[in-house]
Amino acid sequence: MKNFVFISPNFPTNYWKFCKELKDNGLNVLGIGDQPYDELSQELKNSLNEYYKVSSLENYHEVYRAVAFFIFKHGRIDWLESNNEYWLERDAKLRTDFNITSGFQNDDIPRIKYKSKMKEYYKKAGLSVARYHLVDDMEGYRKFVKEVGYPVVAKPDNGVGASHNFKITTDAELESFYGQRHEGVQYIMEEFVKGQVCSYDAIIDANGEPMFEAGNVTPASIMDTVNNLDHSIFYILKELPEETRKAGRDTVKAFGVKSRFVHFEFFRLMEDQKGLGKKGDIMALEVNMRPSGGFSPDMMNFAYSTDVYKIWADMIAFDASTKPLGEHAYCAFAGLRDGKPKAMNYDDIMAKYGAQMKMVDRIPDALSGAMGNQMYLANFQTEEEMNAFFADVTREK
């Protein structure tokens, strides 16, 4: 029986499903988390063979001792994973320290976590990238802005999501950013790309070949959603465009991805942009070597009538999928902000869209910055129907 250590299996709350499918496939699933066992959901308890509570997952020595205990009790660890962007570096360090070779190691982290390093590998995939500059002082910032012009985007080179991202359009905003930046954090400044964010989401086997492929589109930037406290909307595509599929597969090869669930982000240019491409071209944004966040895995299931938790667990256990795909649809996500005046309340939304609704839930506070507070997931057969839904649920009084 293979031993699988799952880091933080209780968050996000839907990740117990990964553990369930691993256990159903015959793996010995060992969880490490900071939530008391009695407070775990019954679904998660049923999906774990054993659970080790630490006082804080931030404390490496505690987590290290937990893995060491599991090795002492159960033998060699075959897999260690969190499927969580926040813990990617921690996962790699644990694998390196315990010689767990089934995932990224310490040496792999720069190219998969630092936005500046990602660009080198995106170029190997044949994709254009935004010009950028890593600087530590105002003189460097001003020099770069003079080269590319406003607007520019500044963000931590090693950051998660849209946290502390800035769109800078004037000298005054540049000065403001310089004063707000976190001391000791390396920022990357990039030229602004006039594009719509789209993604390639895939489960990749041990040979670097896709077992499952999908993609999403985010009409408004996550940076604007976070900074402006807007409602959050995005959707899983009914069919993955061939140009996105090609860009995704080429990126898999360039980064040497094997045995992982990935979420690669691209821009689709909304107009011709000098040095980047023509309207409609796909260009690089950033790679995420884990599933798309929040409830995206459930959305992929709804959109493709399948179970990506099962497909991922099949990849771990068998390196092949036993789960087919079914009928396709658009799956729409609307994350609505508390406190914003909305024309439709819960009862109104359910009365009109109840037949299409797949999931309704509150979004955990830790994810609400990018995703809103109240979530509605709904399936639609046409893009026009989906856009009408987005317009209805986000319309203000």
Side-chain angles (χ1 to χ4, degrees):
M1 181 182 292
K2 290 183 179 180
N3 294 317
F4 192 109
V5 172
F6 206 109
I7 305 294
S8 187
N10 56 302
F11 187 84
T13 54
N14 50 327
Y15 274 24
W16 67 268
K17 298 176 185 179
F18 285 119
C19 297
K20 174 187 180 299
E21 298 302 338
L22 288 171
K23 189 175 182 182
D24 287 351
N25 278 350
L27 276 76
N28 189 32
V29 186
L30 310 168
I32 300 175
D34 55 14
Q35 186 175 12
Y37 180 79
D38 290 343
E39 296 178 9
L40 300 179
S41 69
Q42 191 59 50
E43 293 95 339
L44 178 54
K45 290 178 181 177
N46 295 342
S47 302
L48 297 174
N49 295 92
E50 190 167 349
Y51 180 73
Y52 190 113
K53 181 195 175 298
V54 295
S55 63
S56 172
L57 286 171
E58 300 283 359
N59 187 324
Y60 183 75
H61 297 294
E62 276 197 89
V63 180
Y64 181 96
R65 287 196 296 270
V67 177
F69 171 79
F70 282 148
I71 292 173
F72 172 77
K73 185 172 181 180
H74 299 278
R76 181 179 181 275
I77 302 301
D78 299 284
W79 295 82
L80 183 147
E81 187 58 75
S82 67
N83 277 343
N84 193 313
E85 181 77 21
Y86 189 80
W87 301 117
L88 280 182
E89 291 176 80
R90 172 63 49 81
D91 295 347
K93 182 169 176 54
L94 288 166
R95 291 191 203 100
T96 302
D97 287 350
F98 286 102
N99 194 31
I100 303 167
T101 59
S102 54
F104 289 121
Q105 308 290 304
N106 280 340
D107 291 345
D108 297 310
I109 287 299
R111 66 188 172 89
I112 66 171
K113 282 289 289 177
Y114 289 83
K115 296 172 177 63
S116 56
K117 298 292 185 183
M118 293 175 189
K119 293 178 184 290
E120 301 171 20
Y121 291 86
Y122 263 134
K123 287 179 181 177
K124 290 180 181 179
L127 294 164
S128 61
V129 301
R131 287 174 290 179
Y132 74 98
H133 194 49
L134 294 175
V135 289
D136 294 317
D137 53 39
M138 276 297 294
E139 182 181 353
Y141 288 129
R142 289 194 179 104
K143 182 178 179 181
F144 180 69
V145 169
K146 186 176 181 180
E147 176 188 348
V148 303
Y150 286 122
V152 294
V153 174
K155 50 194 171 184
D157 194 27
N158 180 13
V160 177
S163 177
H164 221 243
N165 288 7
F166 299 82
K167 181 180 177 182
I168 301 166
T169 62
T170 65
D171 289 345
E173 290 177 355
L174 185 64
E175 294 278 358
S176 176
F177 156 69
Y178 191 71
Q180 294 181 61
R181 77 196 195 289
H182 293 153
E183 289 295 333
V185 173
Q186 177 66 70
Y187 283 82
I188 181 172
M189 185 170 281
E190 299 175 299
E191 65 180 313
F192 184 76
V193 177
K194 298 166 185 173
Q196 187 178 65
V197 177
C198 59
S199 76
Y200 172 81
D201 298 87
I203 298 171
I204 307 299
D205 69 14
N207 295 314
E209 298 298 327
M211 292 170 48
F212 168 84
E213 295 173 299
N216 69 39
V217 170
T218 305
S221 79
I222 296 177
M223 179 176 62
D224 289 342
T225 298
V226 172
N227 291 342
N228 302 332
L229 293 178
D230 291 333
H231 299 306
S232 174
I233 63 171
F234 72 96
Y235 56 92
I236 304 295
L237 287 157
K238 187 174 181 178
E239 301 293 342
L240 183 65
E242 283 306 311
E243 61 271 21
T244 308
R245 190 189 309 275
K246 182 180 186 307
R249 291 183 176 184
D250 289 347
T251 302
V252 166
K253 301 301 182 187
F255 278 83
V257 178
K258 295 180 179 179
S259 303
R260 289 200 74 77
F261 204 144
V262 298
H263 171 63
F264 297 158
E265 294 178 342
F266 303 99
F267 285 117
R268 183 181 294 276
L269 291 179
M270 299 174 70
E271 59 184 70
D272 295 354
Q273 198 162 348
K274 186 178 180 180
L276 298 179
K278 300 290 186 181
K279 181 179 179 180
D281 285 352
I282 298 292
M283 63 167 289
L285 178 50
E286 63 182 67
V287 296
N288 299 280
M289 297 297 181
R290 43 76 180 170
S292 181
F295 294 92
S296 293
D298 300 280
M299 293 174 65
M300 294 176 205
N301 291 346
F302 297 139
Y304 291 94
S305 307
T306 190
D307 189 338
V308 297
Y309 301 102
K310 170 64 173 168
I311 297 172
W312 176 83
D314 286 351
M315 177 270 291
I316 299 293
F318 317 122
D319 202 33
S321 175
T322 65
K323 185 70 178 178
L325 305 184
E327 182 182 357
H328 290 196
Y330 292 96
C331 186
F333 172 96
L336 306 183
R337 297 278 179 196
D338 291 346
K340 278 185 171 284
K342 292 174 280 290
M344 297 180 73
N345 61 26
Y346 169 84
D347 291 335
D348 297 329
I349 293 170
M350 295 306 295
K352 185 168 184 178
Y353 292 106
Q356 290 82 24
M357 205 64 66
K358 295 295 184 179
M359 186 184 295
V360 179
D361 206 346
R362 294 293 292 176
I363 297 171
D365 289 344
L367 302 176
S368 63
M371 300 181 67
N373 305 105
Q374 178 68 36
M375 172 191 73
Y376 296 90
L377 300 185
N379 266 21
F380 298 95
Q381 284 302 310
T382 69
E383 194 169 356
E384 291 74 20
E385 292 171 324
M386 177 182 66
N387 287 336
F389 164 75
F390 283 141
D392 275 345
V393 299
T394 60
R395 188 172 66 251
E396 297 187 359
K397 290 182 180 178

